[in-house]
Amino acid sequence: MSKKLLMAAADAASAAAKEEHIQIPLRNWIDGEDADKSSAAASSESQLIFDVSKSRSDENINIRRSKESIIRKVTVAYGIVELLVRCQDNNVALDDDAKIGTDNFAVCVCKKKKRSSSSWTDVRGVTMISSGLSLSIEEPSYLSCLFEDDDDEGGEKDGRQMGRYLEVELDAANKTDCCDNGSADNDEMSKHRCHYLLAKLFYELFTQEEFRDDNYPIGDDYDEPVHKKAKKASLSEREGGVVVSNNYGSDLFSISARMQQLSVPASICRMVQNLLESVSESGAVDAYKTLGEVGKDLHLLLLDPDRFLFDHEEGESPDSMQLLYRKEKLYGRDKEETLITDTFCRVTRGKSEAFFIGGFSGSGKSMLVDTLRVRVKNVGGYVIKHKFDAISQDRPLSGVISAVNQLCLKIKDRLTSQRLAALSKKLKDDFGADIVLLARMLPNVCALSPEFSSLAGEVEDGNTSDKMNARSVSFTLLRFVRLVSSPKRPIMLFLDDLQWADDTALDVVHTFLSDRMGSCMFFVGTYRDNEVQIGHAIFDLLQKLETSNVPTTKVSLTGLDRGDLNKMMSDSLGLYSRICKSLSDIVFQKTKGNPFFVLEFIQSLQSRDLLQYDSCQKRWLWNEDAIRAEEITDNVLHLLSSKLSQLPNKVRLLLKVMACFGTSTNESVIDYLSESPEYAGIRNGLEGAISDGFIELNAEGYIKFVHDKVREAAYNLTPDRDKKQLH
């Protein structure tokens, strides 16, 4: 953790210690929240009359305040559920209406001089009055300081995402003696009653409306005659409020619809509905089974409200809704992520190490390596990378040389002018006349110092007779690496797709790692272990590293397990994980948990309307029977090829041409080709290919495929008879 973050955490902890807290009865607290919302709306309307130019700003402020209020309510709901769970653990009966009612709870909040200074983080605890149980709601200080919500100069919030990772703890006075005199009734009827009362409490918490239970079918009047029930329902309708009757199929949806009508997020409406479904005997698959499930869902809403809690923007059509992929998140690789991080930490102590990652294409090998990039940069190190492919086999050393050539520019951008001058002197002193050979091999060396600029001409004038053999190249690169690397400036060399590398390139890697004269390198190599046979150069390298006593770690990535895949699906759909578990189980059977294959499969379901967004329910729906009947090949190329074949001609032309250049192409190449009649429309396909997610354009002007499987599928679009012409 950085010094700045530690100081912020200390300040947050100190401020929390000085806070004054007060207890407010839950009903009064709800009324206060409702009053604040009404006041803000009225203020906005009055300002709109006098100053139209501020209307949009006021609208954004009101939306923000409304979201903050919802988060405070969800925080209170989370505290209540966690209290009820602890009541069950301590044999406190929960089938009493008075115990799970609005009047039996109090909210602990920060004492503010004025209500307008309220924040979504104000709720500090919840108390159950009848049992005397109190529960503190806390956020670790090192996290809370990241979500500070101070107003900016214009009086508006800075727009950072609202999210909380909360921890709850029973107050010390409650830990030893918190049982009442009654005994817990743990039968099904008690559980149903508890869930019903909690649904009622949530309804009142989020709508400020009374939830009438005159016709609740579980309890002493369960066998009450039908005509009496009908009379009660009629009276209740005349008196107003929401009534639950025996007709669960329609009433549950009417309750959910009423909540949505009152601007309650669909995620909360769904929670109340699932609580009521657990009371009925309909066997609804989404019904809650335990209070623990409710607490888990509430924690998820607080952790990532933009994804799980708040509804999508109004006005978006179902066809325009996009799945909420976390492209930057690495699922199910916590153990491997810790292992590669620990290995790099050892390298920063001054000894080179190697880390090999095997796995099928799409298993997340490159993403695992990417998790280390920020850490390497933070300690002053450099990350250099090269991706091998079938085309590069004709130039075995070019990949390693290209990666080290990148290093020169990274050094230039990172070091101060004084440090660059010192490094340039070291290079001149060490290489002497051989500096020209180094510059010929690594042209970017000329960018390290104005003194080296004169070498550029000599590099261009070099002739083929000066070309060096593999051993000379290896030694020259090693000399350079020794001078620019150190424990404070380690180099991470990442070579991707080693199944396409040969022994010449990997011998250079061995030279780097086995050096004992000052170089400091962390080598990471990834490869498709299902495409590597015994006798491949990778295994020769492993043997050589072992002989040279170079510490080496080897891991193999398999498919995600069912739990991690369920989490991935939950994030993508913005739904509670328990709701999308049945779908994720089917996807697991079809894809064997391969992350890239999962994403492609889900996108194919969406494109064929087997997965659709329902704007009324504000959630994704799917046809499980149709998806289960899908015949899916084990090869992800089948899905990609089907998708690519449906693209416009100009997009397909771009992808086919790019695939012949390898995994990446300079944008200038596309511009050059577009000037010829044969490829005149190739430039027009660039924007479409990027928007469809097949390629991406980086800041250096390089266009790259988002995955090597996309490149393979694009390459297969060209008939074999035409590939030679394109090459």
Side-chain angles (χ1 to χ4, degrees):
M1 189 182 298
S2 68
K3 183 178 180 181
K4 182 178 180 181
L5 191 57
L6 285 170
M7 291 177 64
D11 291 342
S14 177
K18 297 177 182 178
E19 286 179 346
E20 288 188 55
H21 297 166
I22 57 173
Q23 294 274 0
I24 302 177
L26 178 57
R27 190 173 297 280
N28 293 352
W29 184 85
I30 294 173
D31 292 341
E33 286 288 316
D34 192 34
D36 283 350
K37 184 186 297 185
S38 300
S39 175
S43 175
S44 176
E45 290 177 6
S46 63
Q47 290 182 15
L48 182 61
I49 296 174
F50 296 106
D51 190 353
V52 178
S53 64
K54 295 180 62 178
S55 60
R56 179 166 298 184
S57 175
D58 292 339
E59 181 182 1
N60 291 336
I61 292 174
N62 286 335
I63 291 174
R64 174 81 179 195
R65 287 174 176 171
S66 176
K67 288 184 175 182
E68 289 177 347
S69 177
I70 291 171
I71 288 184
R72 287 194 292 271
K73 290 179 179 180
V74 174
T75 304
V76 170
Y78 176 60
I80 290 173
V81 170
E82 290 299 314
L83 264 180
L84 297 179
V85 170
R86 282 154 179 77
C87 283
Q88 289 181 331
D89 295 340
N90 290 282
N91 294 325
V92 178
L94 296 177
D95 56 349
D96 186 350
D97 291 27
K99 287 181 179 176
I100 310 180
T102 306
D103 295 323
N104 192 38
F105 291 94
V107 181
C108 179
V109 299
C110 299
K111 187 176 181 180
K112 300 283 187 180
K113 293 183 179 180
K114 55 181 180 178
R115 182 76 185 182
S116 61
S117 62
S118 294
S119 161
W120 78 81
T121 62
D122 279 351
V123 177
R124 291 291 186 264
V126 176
T127 297
M128 180 183 249
I129 299 172
S130 63
S131 66
L133 284 173
S134 294
L135 183 136
S136 298
I137 300 176
E138 301 172 350
E139 187 166 29
S141 57
Y142 65 88
L143 291 178
S144 61
C145 65
L146 298 177
F147 297 107
E148 293 173 352
D149 58 336
D150 296 333
D151 291 353
D152 60 20
E153 294 179 0
E156 297 183 26
K157 303 294 182 182
D158 60 11
R160 279 176 287 181
Q161 176 179 327
M162 293 178 284
R164 307 190 72 190
Y165 183 91
L166 297 180
E167 297 177 350
V168 295
E169 184 177 2
L170 279 177
D171 290 351
N174 304 138
K175 292 182 178 178
T176 56
D177 184 17
C178 57
C179 301
D180 62 8
N181 295 326
S183 60
D185 182 6
N186 292 320
D187 59 16
E188 279 301 297
M189 191 70 72
S190 176
K191 184 185 75 172
H192 290 171
R193 185 69 179 175
C194 174
H195 287 187
Y196 170 79
L197 294 174
L198 185 60
K200 175 183 174 182
L201 190 155
F202 282 0
Y203 182 90
E204 295 176 356
L205 172 63
F206 287 96
T207 67
Q208 293 84 46
E209 276 192 356
E210 181 183 3
F211 186 103
R212 303 181 62 85
D213 57 354
D214 295 5
N215 207 29
Y216 180 55
I218 296 182
D220 296 337
D221 63 342
Y222 183 77
D223 295 322
E224 191 174 19
V226 175
H227 68 279
K228 288 188 177 182
K229 294 180 179 179
K231 183 177 179 180
K232 283 186 177 182
S234 178
L235 289 172
S236 298
E237 287 175 2
R238 290 199 294 268
E239 294 173 3
V242 175
V243 183
V244 175
S245 70
N246 284 330
N247 188 11
Y248 283 98
S250 61
D251 289 332
L252 293 185
F253 286 105
S254 66
I255 293 170
S256 179
R258 175 57 180 164
M259 294 180 73
Q260 288 195 36
Q261 188 180 34
L262 295 171
S263 300
V264 178
S267 56
I268 300 297
C269 303
R270 197 168 299 121
M271 180 175 289
V272 171
Q273 179 178 322
N274 294 161
L275 281 167
L276 293 173
E277 285 173 342
S278 68
V279 177
S280 72
E281 298 180 358
S282 62
V285 294
D286 294 337
Y288 282 108
K289 298 178 177 60
T290 66
L291 287 176
E293 290 182 340
V294 184
K296 181 179 178 181
D297 286 350
L298 287 166
H299 192 274
L300 184 66
L301 297 182
L302 291 168
L303 184 64
D304 194 349
D306 285 338
R307 183 179 300 272
F308 294 103
L309 174 56
F310 301 129
D311 295 335
H312 294 288
E313 296 296 328
E314 295 291 339
E316 292 188 50
S317 66
D319 293 337
S320 67
M321 294 301 299
Q322 299 295 318
L323 293 165
L324 306 174
Y325 296 121
R326 290 185 187 269
K327 293 184 178 180
E328 76 288 348
K329 182 174 176 61
L330 184 65
Y331 293 90
R333 309 300 186 200
D334 293 344
K335 180 180 177 181
E336 291 83 1
E337 190 173 347
T338 300
L339 192 59
I340 193 172
T341 301
D342 291 345
T343 305
F344 173 70
C345 290
R346 291 195 299 269
V347 172
T348 59
R349 298 172 193 150
K351 189 174 183 180
S352 298
E353 290 199 29
F355 197 97
F356 291 85
I357 307 172
F360 283 76
S361 177
S363 59
K365 301 183 294 295
S366 297
M367 283 193 67
L368 174 60
V369 180
D370 286 341
T371 62
L372 201 59
R373 286 178 175 268
V374 174
R375 184 179 294 273
V376 174
K377 184 177 180 180
N378 286 343
V379 301
Y382 305 101
V383 179
I384 53 178
K385 174 184 177 180
H386 178 72
K387 186 179 182 70
F388 291 102
D389 55 38
I391 300 174
S392 65
Q393 288 181 305
D394 296 333
R395 307 182 305 276
L397 283 176
S398 63
V400 179
I401 294 174
S402 173
V404 181
N405 195 38
Q406 298 170 27
L407 179 60
C408 300
L409 297 181
K410 292 179 181 292
I411 292 172
K412 177 181 179 296
D413 293 338
R414 188 80 60 84
L415 297 185
T416 63
S417 56
Q418 293 85 352
R419 290 182 178 273
L420 279 175
L423 175 60
S424 300
K425 185 177 184 304
K426 287 170 62 177
L427 288 171
K428 286 192 299 181
D429 293 345
D430 186 87
F431 278 88
D434 290 342
I435 193 72
V436 177
L437 298 178
L438 178 67
R440 183 175 295 124
M441 189 183 308
L442 307 175
N444 289 336
V445 163
C446 299
L448 295 178
S449 171
E451 298 180 41
F452 293 163
S453 59
S454 60
L455 298 175
E458 297 183 51
V459 172
E460 294 174 0
D461 294 338
N463 54 59
T464 54
S465 63
D466 293 327
K467 288 186 176 180
M468 306 158 66
N469 60 38
R471 179 171 296 182
S472 298
V473 169
S474 181
F475 180 66
T476 302
L477 292 177
L478 175 60
R479 291 170 65 187
F480 178 73
V481 168
R482 284 174 180 168
L483 291 174
V484 299
S485 67
S486 68
K488 292 184 178 181
R489 299 282 182 185
I491 296 172
M492 175 175 151
L493 172 61
F494 172 30
L495 297 182
D496 197 6
D497 281 342
L498 290 179
Q499 72 273 4
W500 298 114
D502 68 356
D503 55 356
T504 308
L506 297 187
D507 280 344
V508 178
V509 173
H510 175 254
T511 300
F512 288 157
L513 297 175
S514 60
D515 179 52
R516 294 292 183 267
M517 297 179 64
S519 60
C520 187
M521 177 174 287
F522 180 40
F523 170 72
V524 180
T526 62
Y527 60 98
R528 303 179 195 172
D529 48 14
N530 61 310
E531 297 182 18
V532 174
Q533 306 298 324
I534 298 297
H536 192 279
I538 292 176
F539 300 107
D540 292 336
L541 175 59
L542 286 167
Q543 182 62 47
K544 290 177 181 178
L545 292 175
E546 181 180 355
T547 303
S548 302
N549 295 317
V550 177
T552 302
T553 305
K554 183 180 176 183
V555 299
S556 181
L557 301 186
T558 57
L560 302 178
D561 63 28
R562 291 178 183 270
D564 292 321
L565 179 55
N566 183 220
K567 173 61 177 171
M568 184 180 183
M569 294 294 299
S570 173
D571 287 347
S572 298
L573 300 173
L575 284 172
Y576 304 128
S577 57
R578 60 183 178 82
I579 289 181
C580 57
K581 184 179 184 304
S582 58
L583 175 61
S584 66
D585 285 344
I586 298 174
V587 174
F588 178 83
Q589 295 171 3
K590 300 292 184 182
T591 65
K592 310 305 180 187
N594 183 290
F596 183 72
F597 198 179
V598 169
L599 293 180
E600 290 300 320
F601 181 55
I602 292 301
Q603 288 177 338
S604 72
L605 295 180
Q606 183 185 4
S607 66
R608 288 175 290 144
D609 293 333
L610 296 178
L611 177 66
Q612 293 181 305
Y613 186 80
D614 187 297
S615 56
C616 295
Q617 298 187 49
K618 297 184 178 180
R619 59 161 287 184
W620 290 92
L621 300 175
W622 52 86
N623 187 330
E624 287 190 9
D625 292 336
I627 295 173
R628 190 176 285 109
E630 284 283 291
E631 294 184 5
I632 301 298
T633 176
D634 290 336
N635 192 347
V636 70
L637 287 175
H638 173 78
L639 286 177
L640 288 170
S641 298
S642 298
K643 185 188 296 186
L644 294 180
S645 64
Q646 299 172 18
L647 294 173
N649 290 336
K650 58 184 180 181
V651 178
R652 278 189 286 124
L653 175 63
L654 172 77
L655 296 176
K656 288 193 294 184
V657 172
M658 276 190 57
C660 293
F661 285 97
T663 56
S664 64
T665 309
N666 195 298
E667 189 177 9
S668 61
V669 174
I670 303 300
D671 291 334
Y672 175 78
L673 290 174
S674 64
E675 296 177 0
S676 65
E678 186 177 359
Y679 302 108
I682 191 172
R683 180 76 192 184
N684 298 330
L686 182 60
E687 184 177 345
I690 293 176
S691 62
D692 288 338
F694 296 113
I695 61 176
E696 55 189 16
L697 177 63
N698 63 24
E700 288 77 30
Y702 274 88
I703 309 168
K704 56 179 285 188
F705 286 98
V706 295
H707 196 274
D708 50 8
K709 280 296 182 184
V710 178
R711 184 252 166 194
E712 288 182 45
Y715 191 69
N716 290 339
L717 290 176
T718 303
D720 291 339
R721 65 179 182 274
D722 298 333
K723 287 178 180 176
K724 185 175 182 180
Q725 177 183 353
L726 285 174
H727 282 293

